[in-house]
């Protein structure tokens, strides 16, 4: 396999394709006019199959990976991101730098929620965390968060999952504040999910954040955020009576 052999990856994916699955994925990812995935195209390959192909081709060179990232078919882009993730996790400092550089340069093609969720917490988040000085939110995350572009905004939020796993909550909470009134439910879900992840590690931090903001949060965001709270407390938030709520253990 040559370092530029993106065609071999495409062929491997096409061998696994299914027209029926492709039609299902097009509906699921809202590729219709006006949908968040408008115009996206699918081969009909399952995620486990894509990951298996990525493992086979994890030594693919940067030009070929970049070619796949710009492919019109969703599965080619996903497989490219899985390859980048493999290369980032296995690479030395220079290899990781190249992966992150290619990733950021091609963010326009990380253009659906599953593509973001697969890559941002595993590539961009760890890269920024490794350089984190312990003060505020990295500037690149602010740039993405303020871009006015749904997928870049979600990339910023999902990248903070790496910070959360390291016990660093400030970037997530600052970006959550930035997007508290975001118009799209895919951002509501992303922010609620990240606040929930904080709550799994430090419920008091999540609770304190929510108590000051939950009345202005979109309902979906709130539901995601409090999913693992005790039932009585969840109901207090949902009913709008959580100020001064009893705080059961756990």
């Amino acid at each position: 396999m040559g370092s530029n052999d993106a065609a071999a990856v495409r062929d491997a994916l096409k061998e696994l394709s299914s027209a029926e699955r492709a039609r299902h994925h097009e509906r699921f990812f809202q590729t219709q006019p006006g949908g968040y995935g408008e115009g996206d195209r699918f081969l009909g390959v399952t995620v486990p199959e894509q990951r298996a192909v990525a493992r086979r081709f994890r030594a693919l060179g940067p030009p070929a990976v970049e070619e796949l990232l710009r492919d019109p078919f969703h599965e080619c882009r996903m497989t490219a991101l899985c390859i980048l993730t493999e290369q980032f996790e296995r690479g030395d400092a220079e290899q990781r730098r190249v992966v992150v550089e290619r990733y950021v340069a091609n963010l326009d093609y990380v253009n659906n929620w599953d593509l973001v969720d697969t890559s941002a917490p595993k590539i961009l988040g760890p890269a920024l965390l490794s350089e984190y000085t312990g003060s505020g939110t990295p500037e690149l995350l602010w740039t993405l968060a303020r871009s006015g572009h749904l997928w870049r905004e979600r990339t910023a939020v999902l990248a903070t999952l790496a910070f959360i796993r390291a016990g660093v909550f400030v970037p997530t909470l600052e970006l959550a504040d930035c997007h508290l009134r975001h118009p799209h439910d895919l951002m509501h879900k992303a922010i609620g999910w990240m606040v929930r992840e904080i709550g799994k590690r430090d419920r008091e931090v999540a609770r304190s954040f929510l108590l000051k903001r939950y009345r202005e949060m979109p309902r979906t965001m709130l539901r995601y955020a409090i999913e693992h709270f005790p039932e009585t407390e969840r109901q207090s938030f949902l009913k709008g009576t959580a100020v001064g709520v009893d705080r059961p253990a756990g």
Side-chain angles (χ1 to χ4, degrees):
M1 180 185 69
S3 62
N4 293 312
D5 201 359
V9 178
R10 290 194 190 92
D11 288 344
L13 291 170
K14 287 176 181 177
E15 288 177 5
L16 299 165
S17 65
S18 161
E20 182 179 353
R21 278 200 301 264
R23 288 191 293 271
H24 169 75
H25 291 160
E26 287 167 3
R27 292 191 299 270
F28 183 76
F29 287 100
Q30 298 189 25
T31 63
Q32 75 278 4
Y36 60 72
E38 180 176 357
D40 206 352
R41 299 170 66 189
F42 286 83
L43 294 167
V45 184
T46 68
V47 172
E49 289 171 336
Q50 292 170 65
R51 293 189 185 281
V53 171
R55 287 192 293 271
R56 283 172 52 196
F57 291 92
R58 63 187 174 212
L60 205 64
V65 176
E66 190 163 14
E67 183 179 335
L68 289 171
L69 268 175
R70 297 174 177 227
D71 196 275
F73 283 100
H74 189 101
E75 290 92 340
C76 290
R77 302 197 302 281
M78 173 65 89
T79 302
L81 291 168
C82 291
I83 291 171
L84 283 180
T85 298
E86 288 262 350
Q87 293 178 348
F88 182 87
E89 292 177 344
R90 294 167 176 268
D92 58 24
E94 175 59 18
Q95 290 167 326
R96 289 186 171 207
R97 184 195 66 77
V98 171
V99 167
V100 174
E101 181 181 275
R102 292 299 86 209
Y103 181 73
V104 173
N106 288 280
L107 277 177
D108 284 348
Y109 306 96
V110 185
N111 57 357
N112 215 314
W113 61 264
D114 62 323
L115 303 177
V116 171
D117 297 4
T118 293
S119 57
K122 295 181 179 180
I123 298 175
L124 186 58
L128 294 175
L129 179 62
S130 70
E131 302 172 353
Y132 188 60
T133 62
S135 176
T137 298
E139 187 58 37
L140 177 56
L141 294 188
W142 278 126
T143 299
L144 297 176
R146 293 167 173 158
S147 66
H149 184 284
L150 174 61
W151 304 125
R152 290 181 178 234
E153 292 165 347
R154 187 170 171 114
T155 294
V157 172
L158 264 293
T160 69
L161 182 56
F163 288 75
I164 295 170
R165 288 170 173 164
V168 178
F169 305 141
V170 169
T172 303
L173 297 177
E174 288 188 343
L175 294 184
D177 260 339
C178 176
H179 292 305
L180 209 60
R181 299 178 184 84
H182 197 283
H184 206 292
D185 73 327
L186 286 172
M187 285 297 289
H188 303 168
K189 293 173 181 177
I191 294 163
W193 172 17
M194 293 302 100
V195 175
R196 181 180 71 210
E197 290 298 315
I198 291 173
K200 287 161 64 174
R201 293 159 176 82
D202 190 328
R203 184 163 294 157
E204 192 54 40
V205 170
R207 178 185 288 117
S208 178
F209 178 83
L210 291 168
L211 282 171
K212 297 175 182 176
R213 298 163 178 83
Y214 78 98
R215 286 196 175 99
E216 58 184 299
M217 295 174 75
R219 196 72 163 177
T220 297
M221 188 187 297
L222 177 60
R223 285 186 177 276
Y224 270 59
I226 62 175
E227 183 176 346
H228 294 302
F229 278 36
E231 181 61 20
T232 55
E233 191 169 5
R234 285 184 65 256
Q235 291 303 318
S236 294
F237 275 105
L238 293 172
K239 293 174 182 177
T241 60
V243 173
V245 69
D246 290 337
R247 299 178 182 181

